[in-house]
């Protein structure tokens, strides 16, 4: 779980070039204050998954990875939920790295 928290922090502090989707911006803002409205994680995860599917830009993929890892750490109700969230985050981060290897390497 600590490794996932480190990944979330790294993704949250990632410098992103270009315009960011409003959802990606919200995910990054939520990372530092998720404890204020933890239920927001539950709504942002599927919304970010949909946004990343519709527009697989690196910003969206990294935001999906971040919210998936956050969900796995904070909101998952079972081991299966946690593992599914971590896998979703891993796949999104991998897609981001493939889409822009230079960006992913810098992070």
């Amino acid at each position: 779980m600590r490794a996932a928290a480190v990944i979330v922090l790294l993704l949250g502090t990632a410098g992103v070039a270009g315009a960011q989707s409003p959802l990606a911006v919200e995910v990054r803002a939520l990372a530092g204050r998720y404890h204020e409205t933890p239920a927001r994680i539950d709504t942002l995860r599927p919304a970010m998954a949909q946004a990343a599917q519709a527009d697989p830009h690196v910003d969206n993929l990294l935001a999906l990875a971040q919210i998936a890892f956050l969900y796995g750490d904070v909101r998952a109700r079972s081991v299966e939920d946690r593992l599914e969230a971590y896998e979703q985050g891993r796949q999104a981060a991998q897609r981001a790295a493939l889409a822009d290897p230079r960006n992913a390497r810098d992070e």
Side-chain angles (χ1 to χ4, degrees):
M1 230 181 342
R2 295 279 182 205
V6 169
I7 291 170
V8 167
L9 288 173
L10 289 174
L11 290 173
T13 60
V16 183
Q20 296 182 19
S21 76
L23 278 175
V25 171
E26 186 175 354
V27 166
R28 285 186 175 74
L30 181 68
R33 55 181 172 75
Y34 66 87
H35 59 283
E36 295 172 5
T37 54
R40 187 67 180 129
I41 298 168
D42 299 340
T43 56
L44 275 176
R45 182 177 170 221
M48 200 65 244
Q50 187 176 15
Q53 185 173 6
D55 179 14
H57 189 271
V58 172
D59 293 342
N60 287 340
L61 293 170
L62 290 176
L64 174 58
Q66 185 174 17
I67 197 70
F69 285 124
L70 190 58
Y71 178 89
D73 275 351
V74 177
R75 299 295 288 175
R77 292 188 174 111
S78 68
V79 172
E80 292 81 18
D81 284 348
R82 178 171 287 127
L83 293 175
E84 180 183 315
Y86 289 162
E87 179 61 18
Q88 181 185 38
R90 185 194 67 76
Q91 287 179 7
Q94 185 175 35
R95 287 178 57 204
L98 290 172
D100 187 357
R102 217 175 55 182
N103 182 323
R105 185 179 59 231
D106 290 342
E107 308 309 324

